[in-house]
Amino acid sequence: MLFPIYWMINVSLTPQQDMRKDPPDLLPLHPTFSGYRAVLDDQLPYLWVSLLVGLGTVALTLLLSAPAGFALAKLRPRGGGTVGMLLLIAQMIPGIVMAMGFYGIFLNLGIMNTWWGLVVADSTIAVPFGVMIFTAFMSGVPDELMAAATIDGATVWRTFISVVLPVSRNAVVTVSLFSFLWAWSDFVFANTLDGGGSMRPITLGIYKYIGNNNQEWNAIMATAVVASVPATALLVLAQRYVAAGVTSGAVKD
């Protein structure tokens, strides 16, 4: 499982003239950092766009999915079961189908190649997942906490903000992490909604090194290595919260 990652790092350090060597070197015998210099020279604007889209997707997803999950878990509105089923069905729609729909909408509105347009598009995948995670987690929050807040005079909204949301930290981290990773690694929406401008994420910026007659593989792999660092760091730092957030609500007493 780790071999592709190792090979990506190996190729990123391999000189261009050794790319087609047969058999290939299992270790970079003559390492070069030209690919990483190319990343610093060419790819930083794309990395910033990806970061902006990722953080925007996290913010919009939490803003929509946390209140919705709370409503389904604790307020139990009429038709809540149907809403949950629709959210599950929404997860099954292929991304390319949604991308073509967004293409027509964005083209008519004149908002192609905007970072916040990608935020909206990526959130359509993250929000249904977030609602299901929050619903499962908040269902396990004791009703006594809400009753105590109500006795103290808290409104439903204040109870959600001051009581339920703080104890749902694991769910918040889980939803934030997966939302960011989806937006960070998105290619379908980014490629479909790209109008040829400068606001491109790193998944499209990597194509700067791919031409009809030339492929700069060390730069391509160096870009992939750099782009994988934030995702790897987030997964390592948040893994215990993710494990708790995903499994909460799966078992009831």
Side-chain angles (χ1 to χ4, degrees), residues 4-34:
I5 299 175
Y6 156 73
W7 197 251
M8 178 175 66
I9 297 173
N10 181 37
V11 174
S12 72
L13 298 172
T14 302
Q16 192 69 27
Q17 63 271 16
D18 294 339
M19 288 294 169
R20 299 184 182 277
K21 186 176 180 180
D22 188 18
D25 295 326
L26 295 180
L27 293 173
L29 301 179
H30 307 286
T32 176
F33 292 92
S34 60

PDB file of all heavy atoms in Angstrom, residues 4-34:
ATOM      1  N   PRO A   4       3.365   2.933  -3.732  1.00  0.00           N
ATOM      2  CA  PRO A   4       3.147   4.074  -4.639  1.00  0.00           C
ATOM      3  C   PRO A   4       3.645   5.397  -4.058  1.00  0.00           C
ATOM      4  O   PRO A   4       4.146   6.253  -4.800  1.00  0.00           O
ATOM      5  CB  PRO A   4       1.627   4.079  -4.846  1.00  0.00           C
ATOM      6  CG  PRO A   4       1.212   2.672  -4.591  1.00  0.00           C
ATOM      7  CD  PRO A   4       2.111   2.185  -3.497  1.00  0.00           C
ATOM      8  N   ILE A   5       3.502   5.564  -2.734  1.00  0.00           N
ATOM      9  CA  ILE A   5       3.989   6.792  -2.108  1.00  0.00           C
ATOM     10  C   ILE A   5       5.512   6.847  -2.179  1.00  0.00           C
ATOM     11  O   ILE A   5       6.106   7.886  -2.503  1.00  0.00           O
ATOM     12  CB  ILE A   5       3.501   6.873  -0.651  1.00  0.00           C
ATOM     13  CG1 ILE A   5       1.970   6.894  -0.615  1.00  0.00           C
ATOM     14  CG2 ILE A   5       4.075   8.103   0.049  1.00  0.00           C
ATOM     15  CD1 ILE A   5       1.399   6.854   0.776  1.00  0.00           C
ATOM     16  N   TYR A   6       6.141   5.707  -1.864  1.00  0.00           N
ATOM     17  CA  TYR A   6       7.597   5.648  -1.965  1.00  0.00           C
ATOM     18  C   TYR A   6       8.061   5.934  -3.392  1.00  0.00           C
ATOM     19  O   TYR A   6       9.018   6.683  -3.612  1.00  0.00           O
ATOM     20  CB  TYR A   6       8.092   4.266  -1.519  1.00  0.00           C
ATOM     21  CG  TYR A   6       9.431   3.895  -2.097  1.00  0.00           C
ATOM     22  CD1 TYR A   6      10.599   4.502  -1.649  1.00  0.00           C
ATOM     23  CD2 TYR A   6       9.517   2.960  -3.133  1.00  0.00           C
ATOM     24  CE1 TYR A   6      11.833   4.177  -2.213  1.00  0.00           C
ATOM     25  CE2 TYR A   6      10.743   2.632  -3.695  1.00  0.00           C
ATOM     26  CZ  TYR A   6      11.892   3.244  -3.226  1.00  0.00           C
ATOM     27  OH  TYR A   6      13.097   2.927  -3.789  1.00  0.00           O
ATOM     28  N   TRP A   7       7.375   5.344  -4.368  1.00  0.00           N
ATOM     29  CA  TRP A   7       7.792   5.529  -5.768  1.00  0.00           C
ATOM     30  C   TRP A   7       7.572   6.974  -6.206  1.00  0.00           C
ATOM     31  O   TRP A   7       8.340   7.518  -6.999  1.00  0.00           O
ATOM     32  CB  TRP A   7       7.041   4.564  -6.676  1.00  0.00           C
ATOM     33  CG  TRP A   7       7.708   4.419  -8.013  1.00  0.00           C
ATOM     34  CD1 TRP A   7       7.272   4.886  -9.214  1.00  0.00           C
ATOM     35  CD2 TRP A   7       8.956   3.775  -8.258  1.00  0.00           C
ATOM     36  NE1 TRP A   7       8.160   4.567 -10.202  1.00  0.00           N
ATOM     37  CE2 TRP A   7       9.214   3.881  -9.641  1.00  0.00           C
ATOM     38  CE3 TRP A   7       9.872   3.111  -7.444  1.00  0.00           C
ATOM     39  CZ2 TRP A   7      10.352   3.366 -10.228  1.00  0.00           C
ATOM     40  CZ3 TRP A   7      11.006   2.594  -8.031  1.00  0.00           C
ATOM     41  CH2 TRP A   7      11.237   2.725  -9.396  1.00  0.00           C
ATOM     42  N   MET A   8       6.529   7.612  -5.704  1.00  0.00           N
ATOM     43  CA  MET A   8       6.286   9.024  -6.005  1.00  0.00           C
ATOM     44  C   MET A   8       7.455   9.883  -5.509  1.00  0.00           C
ATOM     45  O   MET A   8       7.947  10.764  -6.227  1.00  0.00           O
ATOM     46  CB  MET A   8       4.980   9.471  -5.350  1.00  0.00           C
ATOM     47  CG  MET A   8       4.628  10.925  -5.545  1.00  0.00           C
ATOM     48  SD  MET A   8       3.013  11.328  -4.856  1.00  0.00           S
ATOM     49  CE  MET A   8       3.319  11.067  -3.094  1.00  0.00           C
ATOM     50  N   ILE A   9       7.921   9.604  -4.288  1.00  0.00           N
ATOM     51  CA  ILE A   9       9.050  10.350  -3.741  1.00  0.00           C
ATOM     52  C   ILE A   9      10.325  10.044  -4.526  1.00  0.00           C
ATOM     53  O   ILE A   9      11.131  10.941  -4.823  1.00  0.00           O
ATOM     54  CB  ILE A   9       9.229  10.015  -2.251  1.00  0.00           C
ATOM     55  CG1 ILE A   9       7.990  10.448  -1.472  1.00  0.00           C
ATOM     56  CG2 ILE A   9      10.471  10.687  -1.684  1.00  0.00           C
ATOM     57  CD1 ILE A   9       7.999  10.022  -0.020  1.00  0.00           C
ATOM     58  N   ASN A  10      10.498   8.768  -4.882  1.00  0.00           N
ATOM     59  CA  ASN A  10      11.685   8.363  -5.645  1.00  0.00           C
ATOM     60  C   ASN A  10      11.752   9.088  -6.988  1.00  0.00           C
ATOM     61  O   ASN A  10      12.791   9.631  -7.375  1.00  0.00           O
ATOM     62  CB  ASN A  10      11.661   6.849  -5.842  1.00  0.00           C
ATOM     63  CG  ASN A  10      12.873   6.343  -6.611  1.00  0.00           C
ATOM     64  OD1 ASN A  10      13.975   6.838  -6.444  1.00  0.00           O
ATOM     65  ND2 ASN A  10      12.657   5.364  -7.477  1.00  0.00           N
ATOM     66  N   VAL A  11      10.636   9.105  -7.705  1.00  0.00           N
ATOM     67  CA  VAL A  11      10.612   9.753  -9.020  1.00  0.00           C
ATOM     68  C   VAL A  11      10.799  11.260  -8.880  1.00  0.00           C
ATOM     69  O   VAL A  11      11.426  11.907  -9.734  1.00  0.00           O
ATOM     70  CB  VAL A  11       9.295   9.427  -9.754  1.00  0.00           C
ATOM     71  CG1 VAL A  11       9.179  10.220 -11.057  1.00  0.00           C
ATOM     72  CG2 VAL A  11       9.215   7.938 -10.048  1.00  0.00           C
ATOM     73  N   SER A  12      10.281  11.852  -7.798  1.00  0.00           N
ATOM     74  CA  SER A  12      10.423  13.296  -7.618  1.00  0.00           C
ATOM     75  C   SER A  12      11.877  13.709  -7.443  1.00  0.00           C
ATOM     76  O   SER A  12      12.220  14.880  -7.658  1.00  0.00           O
ATOM     77  CB  SER A  12       9.603  13.752  -6.403  1.00  0.00           C
ATOM     78  OG  SER A  12      10.200  13.323  -5.184  1.00  0.00           O
ATOM     79  N   LEU A  13      12.733  12.767  -7.051  1.00  0.00           N
ATOM     80  CA  LEU A  13      14.156  13.056  -6.858  1.00  0.00           C
ATOM     81  C   LEU A  13      15.020  12.551  -8.005  1.00  0.00           C
ATOM     82  O   LEU A  13      16.248  12.709  -7.977  1.00  0.00           O
ATOM     83  CB  LEU A  13      14.638  12.425  -5.544  1.00  0.00           C
ATOM     84  CG  LEU A  13      13.978  12.941  -4.266  1.00  0.00           C
ATOM     85  CD1 LEU A  13      14.407  12.105  -3.072  1.00  0.00           C
ATOM     86  CD2 LEU A  13      14.308  14.413  -4.037  1.00  0.00           C
ATOM     87  N   THR A  14      14.405  11.936  -9.003  1.00  0.00           N
ATOM     88  CA  THR A  14      15.149  11.354 -10.119  1.00  0.00           C
ATOM     89  C   THR A  14      15.391  12.396 -11.206  1.00  0.00           C
ATOM     90  O   THR A  14      14.457  13.097 -11.603  1.00  0.00           O
ATOM     91  CB  THR A  14      14.379  10.161 -10.712  1.00  0.00           C
ATOM     92  OG1 THR A  14      14.167   9.185  -9.693  1.00  0.00           O
ATOM     93  CG2 THR A  14      15.149   9.529 -11.862  1.00  0.00           C
ATOM     94  N   PRO A  15      16.626  12.516 -11.709  1.00  0.00           N
ATOM     95  CA  PRO A  15      16.885  13.455 -12.809  1.00  0.00           C
ATOM     96  C   PRO A  15      16.066  13.104 -14.045  1.00  0.00           C
ATOM     97  O   PRO A  15      15.732  11.928 -14.290  1.00  0.00           O
ATOM     98  CB  PRO A  15      18.389  13.280 -13.073  1.00  0.00           C
ATOM     99  CG  PRO A  15      18.939  12.732 -11.799  1.00  0.00           C
ATOM    100  CD  PRO A  15      17.850  11.865 -11.229  1.00  0.00           C
ATOM    101  N   GLN A  16      15.758  14.091 -14.846  1.00  0.00           N
ATOM    102  CA  GLN A  16      14.902  13.904 -16.009  1.00  0.00           C
ATOM    103  C   GLN A  16      15.486  12.891 -16.991  1.00  0.00           C
ATOM    104  O   GLN A  16      14.757  12.096 -17.583  1.00  0.00           O
ATOM    105  CB  GLN A  16      14.683  15.256 -16.704  1.00  0.00           C
ATOM    106  CG  GLN A  16      13.594  15.249 -17.763  1.00  0.00           C
ATOM    107  CD  GLN A  16      12.210  15.090 -17.175  1.00  0.00           C
ATOM    108  OE1 GLN A  16      11.960  15.458 -16.033  1.00  0.00           O
ATOM    109  NE2 GLN A  16      11.292  14.525 -17.950  1.00  0.00           N
ATOM    110  N   GLN A  17      16.806  12.889 -17.144  1.00  0.00           N
ATOM    111  CA  GLN A  17      17.425  11.978 -18.117  1.00  0.00           C
ATOM    112  C   GLN A  17      17.386  10.526 -17.680  1.00  0.00           C
ATOM    113  O   GLN A  17      17.619   9.619 -18.491  1.00  0.00           O
ATOM    114  CB  GLN A  17      18.874  12.390 -18.387  1.00  0.00           C
ATOM    115  CG  GLN A  17      19.801  12.312 -17.191  1.00  0.00           C
ATOM    116  CD  GLN A  17      19.826  13.604 -16.391  1.00  0.00           C
ATOM    117  OE1 GLN A  17      18.941  14.448 -16.559  1.00  0.00           O
ATOM    118  NE2 GLN A  17      20.847  13.772 -15.560  1.00  0.00           N
ATOM    119  N   ASP A  18      17.095  10.264 -16.412  1.00  0.00           N
ATOM    120  CA  ASP A  18      17.034   8.887 -15.910  1.00  0.00           C
ATOM    121  C   ASP A  18      15.614   8.341 -15.808  1.00  0.00           C
ATOM    122  O   ASP A  18      15.416   7.231 -15.320  1.00  0.00           O
ATOM    123  CB  ASP A  18      17.700   8.805 -14.528  1.00  0.00           C
ATOM    124  CG  ASP A  18      19.194   9.087 -14.589  1.00  0.00           C
ATOM    125  OD1 ASP A  18      19.764   8.951 -15.681  1.00  0.00           O
ATOM    126  OD2 ASP A  18      19.772   9.446 -13.542  1.00  0.00           O
ATOM    127  N   MET A  19      14.637   9.103 -16.289  1.00  0.00           N
ATOM    128  CA  MET A  19      13.249   8.696 -16.119  1.00  0.00           C
ATOM    129  C   MET A  19      12.920   7.401 -16.859  1.00  0.00           C
ATOM    130  O   MET A  19      12.138   6.583 -16.392  1.00  0.00           O
ATOM    131  CB  MET A  19      12.306   9.808 -16.596  1.00  0.00           C
ATOM    132  CG  MET A  19      12.259  11.004 -15.675  1.00  0.00           C
ATOM    133  SD  MET A  19      11.543  10.584 -14.076  1.00  0.00           S
ATOM    134  CE  MET A  19      11.942  12.061 -13.161  1.00  0.00           C
ATOM    135  N   ARG A  20      13.511   7.220 -18.018  1.00  0.00           N
ATOM    136  CA  ARG A  20      13.194   6.040 -18.836  1.00  0.00           C
ATOM    137  C   ARG A  20      14.277   4.967 -18.731  1.00  0.00           C
ATOM    138  O   ARG A  20      14.382   4.107 -19.600  1.00  0.00           O
ATOM    139  CB  ARG A  20      12.973   6.453 -20.289  1.00  0.00           C
ATOM    140  CG  ARG A  20      11.819   7.426 -20.463  1.00  0.00           C
ATOM    141  CD  ARG A  20      11.549   7.737 -21.924  1.00  0.00           C
ATOM    142  NE  ARG A  20      10.476   8.698 -22.075  1.00  0.00           N
ATOM    143  CZ  ARG A  20       9.180   8.407 -22.058  1.00  0.00           C
ATOM    144  NH1 ARG A  20       8.802   7.142 -21.885  1.00  0.00           N
ATOM    145  NH2 ARG A  20       8.258   9.337 -22.201  1.00  0.00           N
ATOM    146  N   LYS A  21      15.046   5.030 -17.699  1.00  0.00           N
ATOM    147  CA  LYS A  21      16.099   4.050 -17.497  1.00  0.00           C
ATOM    148  C   LYS A  21      15.493   2.674 -17.261  1.00  0.00           C
ATOM    149  O   LYS A  21      14.508   2.519 -16.543  1.00  0.00           O
ATOM    150  CB  LYS A  21      16.952   4.455 -16.302  1.00  0.00           C
ATOM    151  CG  LYS A  21      18.168   3.579 -16.096  1.00  0.00           C
ATOM    152  CD  LYS A  21      19.012   4.117 -14.928  1.00  0.00           C
ATOM    153  CE  LYS A  21      20.233   3.257 -14.704  1.00  0.00           C
ATOM    154  NZ  LYS A  21      21.059   3.763 -13.570  1.00  0.00           N
ATOM    155  N   ASP A  22      16.064   1.635 -17.872  1.00  0.00           N
ATOM    156  CA  ASP A  22      15.546   0.272 -17.773  1.00  0.00           C
ATOM    157  C   ASP A  22      16.686  -0.684 -17.401  1.00  0.00           C
ATOM    158  O   ASP A  22      17.637  -0.851 -18.171  1.00  0.00           O
ATOM    159  CB  ASP A  22      14.917  -0.144 -19.107  1.00  0.00           C
ATOM    160  CG  ASP A  22      14.185  -1.477 -19.003  1.00  0.00           C
ATOM    161  OD1 ASP A  22      13.878  -1.894 -17.866  1.00  0.00           O
ATOM    162  OD2 ASP A  22      13.928  -2.080 -20.058  1.00  0.00           O
ATOM    163  N   PRO A  23      16.610  -1.289 -16.204  1.00  0.00           N
ATOM    164  CA  PRO A  23      15.562  -1.155 -15.196  1.00  0.00           C
ATOM    165  C   PRO A  23      15.705   0.154 -14.423  1.00  0.00           C
ATOM    166  O   PRO A  23      16.810   0.701 -14.331  1.00  0.00           O
ATOM    167  CB  PRO A  23      15.814  -2.357 -14.282  1.00  0.00           C
ATOM    168  CG  PRO A  23      17.288  -2.594 -14.389  1.00  0.00           C
ATOM    169  CD  PRO A  23      17.656  -2.257 -15.797  1.00  0.00           C
ATOM    170  N   PRO A  24      14.643   0.659 -13.841  1.00  0.00           N
ATOM    171  CA  PRO A  24      14.725   1.915 -13.098  1.00  0.00           C
ATOM    172  C   PRO A  24      15.463   1.719 -11.778  1.00  0.00           C
ATOM    173  O   PRO A  24      15.543   0.619 -11.246  1.00  0.00           O
ATOM    174  CB  PRO A  24      13.247   2.261 -12.856  1.00  0.00           C
ATOM    175  CG  PRO A  24      12.547   0.946 -12.870  1.00  0.00           C
ATOM    176  CD  PRO A  24      13.275   0.108 -13.882  1.00  0.00           C
ATOM    177  N   ASP A  25      16.009   2.781 -11.263  1.00  0.00           N
ATOM    178  CA  ASP A  25      16.696   2.743  -9.981  1.00  0.00           C
ATOM    179  C   ASP A  25      15.664   2.687  -8.853  1.00  0.00           C
ATOM    180  O   ASP A  25      14.719   3.492  -8.819  1.00  0.00           O
ATOM    181  CB  ASP A  25      17.576   3.981  -9.803  1.00  0.00           C
ATOM    182  CG  ASP A  25      18.715   4.027 -10.812  1.00  0.00           C
ATOM    183  OD1 ASP A  25      19.218   2.938 -11.158  1.00  0.00           O
ATOM    184  OD2 ASP A  25      19.088   5.135 -11.241  1.00  0.00           O
ATOM    185  N   LEU A  26      15.850   1.754  -7.953  1.00  0.00           N
ATOM    186  CA  LEU A  26      14.946   1.660  -6.805  1.00  0.00           C
ATOM    187  C   LEU A  26      15.196   2.756  -5.784  1.00  0.00           C
ATOM    188  O   LEU A  26      14.350   3.031  -4.939  1.00  0.00           O
ATOM    189  CB  LEU A  26      15.084   0.286  -6.143  1.00  0.00           C
ATOM    190  CG  LEU A  26      14.639  -0.900  -6.993  1.00  0.00           C
ATOM    191  CD1 LEU A  26      14.833  -2.207  -6.231  1.00  0.00           C
ATOM    192  CD2 LEU A  26      13.179  -0.748  -7.411  1.00  0.00           C
ATOM    193  N   LEU A  27      16.376   3.362  -5.863  1.00  0.00           N
ATOM    194  CA  LEU A  27      16.711   4.499  -5.014  1.00  0.00           C
ATOM    195  C   LEU A  27      17.256   5.609  -5.913  1.00  0.00           C
ATOM    196  O   LEU A  27      17.900   5.325  -6.931  1.00  0.00           O
ATOM    197  CB  LEU A  27      17.760   4.117  -3.963  1.00  0.00           C
ATOM    198  CG  LEU A  27      17.321   3.119  -2.885  1.00  0.00           C
ATOM    199  CD1 LEU A  27      18.517   2.717  -2.024  1.00  0.00           C
ATOM    200  CD2 LEU A  27      16.222   3.716  -2.006  1.00  0.00           C
ATOM    201  N   PRO A  28      17.021   6.867  -5.543  1.00  0.00           N
ATOM    202  CA  PRO A  28      17.564   7.973  -6.354  1.00  0.00           C
ATOM    203  C   PRO A  28      19.080   8.084  -6.158  1.00  0.00           C
ATOM    204  O   PRO A  28      19.554   8.720  -5.207  1.00  0.00           O
ATOM    205  CB  PRO A  28      16.815   9.196  -5.812  1.00  0.00           C
ATOM    206  CG  PRO A  28      16.422   8.822  -4.425  1.00  0.00           C
ATOM    207  CD  PRO A  28      16.165   7.341  -4.441  1.00  0.00           C
ATOM    208  N   LEU A  29      19.845   7.429  -7.038  1.00  0.00           N
ATOM    209  CA  LEU A  29      21.298   7.392  -6.884  1.00  0.00           C
ATOM    210  C   LEU A  29      21.928   8.767  -7.101  1.00  0.00           C
ATOM    211  O   LEU A  29      22.980   9.074  -6.538  1.00  0.00           O
ATOM    212  CB  LEU A  29      21.889   6.377  -7.865  1.00  0.00           C
ATOM    213  CG  LEU A  29      21.382   4.936  -7.711  1.00  0.00           C
ATOM    214  CD1 LEU A  29      22.032   4.027  -8.754  1.00  0.00           C
ATOM    215  CD2 LEU A  29      21.643   4.405  -6.300  1.00  0.00           C
ATOM    216  N   HIS A  30      21.318   9.569  -7.946  1.00  0.00           N
ATOM    217  CA  HIS A  30      21.812  10.923  -8.205  1.00  0.00           C
ATOM    218  C   HIS A  30      20.652  11.904  -8.002  1.00  0.00           C
ATOM    219  O   HIS A  30      20.105  12.442  -8.969  1.00  0.00           O
ATOM    220  CB  HIS A  30      22.359  11.030  -9.629  1.00  0.00           C
ATOM    221  CG  HIS A  30      23.371   9.978  -9.964  1.00  0.00           C
ATOM    222  ND1 HIS A  30      24.668  10.000  -9.475  1.00  0.00           N
ATOM    223  CD2 HIS A  30      23.273   8.839 -10.716  1.00  0.00           C
ATOM    224  CE1 HIS A  30      25.326   8.945  -9.915  1.00  0.00           C
ATOM    225  NE2 HIS A  30      24.510   8.225 -10.674  1.00  0.00           N
ATOM    226  N   PRO A  31      20.239  12.117  -6.758  1.00  0.00           N
ATOM    227  CA  PRO A  31      19.023  12.909  -6.484  1.00  0.00           C
ATOM    228  C   PRO A  31      19.152  14.349  -6.956  1.00  0.00           C
ATOM    229  O   PRO A  31      20.225  14.955  -6.915  1.00  0.00           O
ATOM    230  CB  PRO A  31      18.904  12.832  -4.960  1.00  0.00           C
ATOM    231  CG  PRO A  31      20.278  12.555  -4.471  1.00  0.00           C
ATOM    232  CD  PRO A  31      20.912  11.699  -5.513  1.00  0.00           C
ATOM    233  N   THR A  32      18.047  14.856  -7.415  1.00  0.00           N
ATOM    234  CA  THR A  32      17.955  16.252  -7.825  1.00  0.00           C
ATOM    235  C   THR A  32      16.704  16.866  -7.202  1.00  0.00           C
ATOM    236  O   THR A  32      15.682  16.186  -7.033  1.00  0.00           O
ATOM    237  CB  THR A  32      17.884  16.370  -9.353  1.00  0.00           C
ATOM    238  OG1 THR A  32      17.708  17.742  -9.704  1.00  0.00           O
ATOM    239  CG2 THR A  32      16.716  15.574  -9.921  1.00  0.00           C
ATOM    240  N   PHE A  33      16.806  18.134  -6.862  1.00  0.00           N
ATOM    241  CA  PHE A  33      15.675  18.838  -6.267  1.00  0.00           C
ATOM    242  C   PHE A  33      15.091  19.865  -7.237  1.00  0.00           C
ATOM    243  O   PHE A  33      14.404  20.791  -6.815  1.00  0.00           O
ATOM    244  CB  PHE A  33      16.107  19.529  -4.969  1.00  0.00           C
ATOM    245  CG  PHE A  33      16.458  18.569  -3.861  1.00  0.00           C
ATOM    246  CD1 PHE A  33      17.762  18.141  -3.691  1.00  0.00           C
ATOM    247  CD2 PHE A  33      15.476  18.081  -3.023  1.00  0.00           C
ATOM    248  CE1 PHE A  33      18.100  17.257  -2.677  1.00  0.00           C
ATOM    249  CE2 PHE A  33      15.795  17.189  -2.009  1.00  0.00           C
ATOM    250  CZ  PHE A  33      17.103  16.770  -1.830  1.00  0.00           C
ATOM    251  N   SER A  34      15.356  19.651  -8.514  1.00  0.00           N
ATOM    252  CA  SER A  34      14.840  20.576  -9.513  1.00  0.00           C
ATOM    253  C   SER A  34      13.316  20.567  -9.551  1.00  0.00           C
ATOM    254  O   SER A  34      12.677  21.597  -9.789  1.00  0.00           O
ATOM    255  CB  SER A  34      15.395  20.228 -10.895  1.00  0.00           C
ATOM    256  OG  SER A  34      15.015  18.906 -11.280  1.00  0.00           O
TER     257      SER A  34
END
